[in-house]
Every structure is written in C-alpha cells, then in structure tokens.
Amino acid sequence: MSAANPRDPRGPKKKLIEVALPLDAINRAASTEKSIRHGHPSTMHLWWARRPLAAARAMLFSQLVDDPSEHPELFPSERAQSEERERLFALLEELVRWESAGNSRVLAAARQEIRRWTGDTSPVVLDPFAGGGSIPLEAQRLGLTPWAQDLNPVAVLLNKAMVEIPSRFEARSAVNPAARAAHLGEAWQGFRGLAADVRHYAEWMRAHAWETLGSLYPPAELAEAAGSGTTPVIAWIWARTVPCPNPACGVNMPLVRSFKLSTKTHATAVPEFAVGDKDATFKIAVNEGEAPRATIGRQGATCIACQQAVPLS
C-alpha cells in the first residue's frame, strides 16, 4: 500500500515496507506465537492459514510509515536516512514481540509514528477476507479503523468477538453485582469489566445448564485396576441410532464408522447388550484384541446385536 501523504501535495511516498524490514526479528516473533497457549486468538478457535499477529502488526505499521529516503528535507544525507531507518527498525522489533501486544508505551510510540506520516485522521483498513481476524485486530491495536468481512459465519463471529464487541466496552465497569462489589470505587482499565462479566455469566449459564442436563452426563465408573470409584468424563462421543428392522431384535443400533478411541493406547469402545435391552452400553477397553467392526459404510449398515445387514434406505 502506497498512500498519498496528506502533509505533502507531491503525491505518494515510498513506504518503509517497500525499502527494508527487520525480517529476522519479525520471523522470530511470528514463530514464538506458535507456542502461545494463553491469550492468543488461536485458542478461541483453530483457523486454517491463520496469519501471525506479529506479521500483521509489522505489515500494517510499515505500510503506513514513510521511508526516510522520501524526506531529504528532514534526512539530507544517506547516513541520516540510515540512522532514522534503524530507529524505526528498533521500534518495529519491539512492536512485534508478543509481550508488546499490551504494552501501552510501545503501542503509543507506534501510533504516534503512524500519525506523523498519515495526519490526524485515523486510516481505515479494509480486510475483505478477514478469516481469523489477525489484520483487523492488529489494525485496531495500532489505532486504525478496521473494517472486516467474510463469507464464513464462523469468521464473522471471531471478528465480532475479538474486534467489534470488545471495542464498545473499553474502560467500562462490569455490570454483574459480584464484580462491582469487589471493585467498589476502583477504575476499570481496558476490557477487564467486560472480561469479568463474561466469566460471571458464563459460569451462571454453566451452572443452570448442569442442573438441567447433568443427569445425561453421568461420571465414569473406574475399573479396579484404575483405582475404582468415579471420575468426570472429559469428552463424550455421540452416534446416531436407528431401530433394527429385524422383528426378533429391534435394538437401537448405533451407526459408527470406527470404535477406536486412541491409536496410541489402542483404546476402543466396546458395546454390550443385556438380554431385553434396546440400547447398548459401552466400556472402554485397552489392548484387548481387535476393535469391533464399523456398523455403517457405503454399502449399508449392520446391526451390532443380531448382525443383520440393513440397507442405507
């Protein structure tokens, strides 16, 4: 992007990104992000081809800041231009670090540098294929006005959650009574008020959902070898069931393409039927021979109780 400088009527100026960048520092910061597991948008939803935040931040900054060579009136010699470029590189190297995402001093310096060459009007950044939202999020962080769109509704939801909605509640106090009582008279900085409300009402919704649905998710009974007793279930795997058309059977047969739960530990789900039962119960077996065969495929289904073949129709 090479935009006209509102302070110079001579037209477009060559930007920093068109001349040189501290690529090693940017690549290091982008690589470091892969191991971030707290506070990174990737933990909210795994998005394919997600652009590193550090790269998006560097790209936006260097597209808006003029290269010193375009201002001989300020930097008359090559040495002066080189020194100014190194100063910008130092700021950019600090800006792309993960720790700088919430560093008000570094962000203020970057915003001031952008305003120096773009004027007082906040540039608008349009991302027509916003995806995981890296560019709109970093544009907002740099004090720019982001506009984002995407055909995928999941992408739209991500951008709303990261960019649009939080910006409405910056520096506003929480509304839930517990947080207000705990922070009586204190100022709410950033998005802490919104975060406190999200935590409070998410816990409220979880508690009410458990009252209604908890009986459908019973704890698992541990085998004696595993210590006996019960333990909460980490994940449930659901399968469609249809009544077996065999009049002598009639069980609700699960349609499953694989009963394998883990290829590393060779764990499988083993269905069991008691006499007269219409529904299967399942136990988890580890290293106990071959896993049960799939009950659904391209040719049709097989009843797991009576082994009758059932056409897809």
Side-chain angles (χ1 to χ4, degrees):
M1 179 176 68
S2 184
N5 189 334
R7 297 185 178 182
D8 194 330
R10 290 176 295 178
K13 292 291 185 182
K14 190 176 291 186
K15 300 298 179 178
L16 185 64
I17 197 173
E18 300 176 79
V19 178
L21 287 176
L23 292 178
D24 288 342
I26 296 172
N27 289 336
R28 282 196 302 270
S31 179
T32 300
E33 280 188 34
K34 295 179 181 179
S35 61
I36 301 297
R37 291 292 179 267
H38 181 72
H40 195 284
S42 64
T43 61
M44 182 166 58
H45 185 279
L46 292 177
W47 190 262
W48 55 87
R50 176 179 286 281
R51 302 295 179 259
L53 301 184
R57 204 177 308 151
M59 177 268 297
L60 289 165
F61 177 84
S62 57
Q63 284 191 51
L64 294 168
V65 173
D66 290 357
D67 185 75
S69 62
E70 293 295 300
H71 295 278
E73 73 283 0
L74 299 176
F75 313 105
S77 65
E78 287 190 10
R79 180 176 179 179
Q81 294 170 13
S82 178
E83 290 176 351
E84 174 62 11
R85 199 173 291 120
E86 289 300 321
R87 185 188 71 82
L88 292 174
F89 282 3
L91 174 58
L92 191 51
E93 289 180 18
E94 191 174 16
L95 181 65
V96 296
R97 294 174 186 162
W98 172 253
E99 298 79 10
S100 297
N103 190 317
S104 57
R105 177 189 61 81
V106 176
L107 294 177
R111 292 173 181 176
Q112 182 179 359
E113 202 64 47
I114 291 173
R115 287 195 300 269
R116 181 184 183 189
W117 304 117
T118 60
D120 296 329
T121 302
S122 175
V124 175
V125 175
L126 169 64
D127 188 352
F129 310 102
S134 295
I135 292 176
L137 177 65
E138 293 306 323
Q140 187 179 72
R141 202 191 308 271
L142 292 174
L144 311 175
T145 302
W147 285 84
Q149 64 186 48
D150 202 289
L151 285 175
N152 192 319
V154 176
V156 173
L157 182 61
L158 288 174
N159 281 273
K160 280 183 172 290
M162 289 194 306
V163 182
E164 179 184 333
I165 295 175
S167 63
R168 303 177 188 172
F169 297 92
E170 185 173 7
R172 296 182 63 174
S173 62
V175 298
N176 76 83
R180 293 177 71 91
H183 293 79
L184 189 62
E186 297 181 22
W188 291 87
Q189 297 179 346
F191 307 107
R192 293 179 181 176
L194 176 61
D197 281 337
V198 169
R199 282 191 294 266
H200 177 84
Y201 291 108
E203 176 61 27
W204 179 86
M205 292 174 64
R206 189 204 67 82
H208 280 264
W210 186 253
E211 288 180 10
T212 305
L213 304 172
S215 60
L216 302 178
Y217 299 88
E221 297 284 343
L222 291 176
E224 186 175 348
S228 300
T230 61
T231 184
V233 177
I234 296 175
W236 291 83
I237 300 176
W238 294 88
R240 289 183 179 275
T241 60
V242 294
C244 176
N246 181 356
C249 180
V251 304
N252 293 318
M253 48 187 227
L255 305 181
V256 180
R257 293 189 179 274
S258 175
F259 285 96
K260 293 181 180 180
L261 301 178
S262 171
T263 56
K264 179 181 289 187
T265 62
H266 304 289
T268 58
V270 180
E272 297 177 332
F273 281 95
V275 178
D277 283 353
K278 295 298 182 182
D279 293 297
T281 57
F282 291 85
K283 73 172 185 177
I284 297 176
V286 180
N287 294 322
E288 293 187 13
E290 291 292 323
R293 296 179 59 184
T295 59
I296 184 70
R298 294 183 178 180
Q299 304 301 318
T302 303
C303 177
I304 203 168
C306 69
Q307 305 302 311
Q308 173 165 320
V310 183
L312 291 178
S313 59

